[in-house]
Amino acid sequence: MGFFWEGLPPYLLPWSSQSLIEPRAAVETGTFRGDTTTLLANTFGSCTSIERSHELAAKAQGKFRGDPRIEILEGSSRELLAQAIPSREKSAFFWLDAHGIYDFDGTEAEENPLLAEIDMVIAARDSSNTIIAIDDARGMGTQPDWPAMSEIAIPLGNAGYTTVYLDDIFLAVPQRLKTDLPKLYQESRMVEATAVFHIWPRVLRAFKSQARLDSLVEKLPKSLRR
Ligand SMILES: C[S@@+](CC[C@H](N)C(=O)[O-])C[C@H]1O[C@@H](n2cnc3c(N)ncnc32)[C@H](O)[C@@H]1O
């Protein structure tokens, strides 16, 4: 979840699809309700998504029955990701999201498969035609069971990726795209500026009514306020 986006920031999709030559495919870990699964299939032509929860996987399988672009695999990404990774000839976009962000309320029993996922992608893919986006990157090294950012960035750097952090997403892209990253940053700011301006009138209205409320409370006799 970023400052303005819950999940995958929309500006990342056109930038990534323009950067990866066809044929392309997407892989998602953590299907949840399948909202991003649809976006990924629309952008990259197909999406294989892995969901550990039986209930959520069954719902998503029902939702996407009849859509040949989408495959939902039930089980942990630790066991299933290797078989979902597209062959090296195809460009691939990975959305690694099989984890929660707990803000310290989570339990140690929650597993975070991120390091295993990264190992599998590095082993099976060439960095020249692969983009990896990891959600909730603020949790890296700060949340229970999350690896530190360096534990993710170092092996990816050794495998030929350039890694950056943008809008709570940890992004690993082919080194040839390093010079295009400022353009991605600019696009992210443009969208966010629009998002702020869009909600600004509501923020202002809320602020005004809060000020009125505060002045009303201030006028109440002290005995009533207690
Ligand atoms: C934050 S949600 C995913 C949101 C979804 N990707 C989206 O963008 O709308 C996390 C999901 O990962 C699933 N999950 C957790 N651990 C998993 C694992 N090891 N393998 C596969 N799915 C997992 C959870 O059941 C939950 O549905």
Side-chain angles (χ1 to χ4, degrees), residues 118-147:
I118 292 293
D119 282 350
M120 283 184 262
V121 175
I122 287 175
R125 295 287 312 173
D126 192 302
S127 63
S128 63
N129 64 351
T130 305
I131 291 180
I132 304 163
I134 305 171
D135 197 15
D136 302 315
R138 71 185 185 282
M140 291 180 182
T142 61
Q143 301 283 300
D145 212 22
W146 277 77

Side-chain angles (χ1 to χ4, degrees), residues 132-184:
I132 304 163
I134 305 171
D135 197 15
D136 302 315
R138 71 185 185 282
M140 291 180 182
T142 61
Q143 301 283 300
D145 212 22
W146 277 77
M149 201 171 272
S150 54
E151 292 175 79
I152 307 288
I154 290 169
L156 283 167
N158 291 338
Y161 293 87
T162 292
T163 60
V164 292
Y165 176 65
L166 179 62
D167 267 347
D168 206 25
I169 305 297
F170 180 97
L171 199 57
V173 303
Q175 270 170 5
R176 66 182 164 81
L177 294 180
K178 191 176 175 185
T179 50
D180 284 347
L181 287 165
K183 186 168 164 257
L184 179 67

Side-chain angles (χ1 to χ4, degrees), residues 6-8 28-37 49-53 56 73 75-78 95-101 110-113 117 135-136:
E6 271 200 23
L8 188 67
E28 175 184 42
T29 62
T31 314
F32 193 46
R33 288 197 295 253
D35 299 336
T36 307
T37 317
S49 186
I50 303 168
E51 174 52 55
R52 187 179 60 169
S53 146
L56 290 171
L73 304 178
S76 172
S77 57
R78 283 180 190 278
W95 176 235
L96 302 183
D97 198 13
H99 48 248
I101 188 95
E110 297 278 0
E111 66 147 5
N112 187 323
E117 292 176 346
D135 197 15
D136 302 315

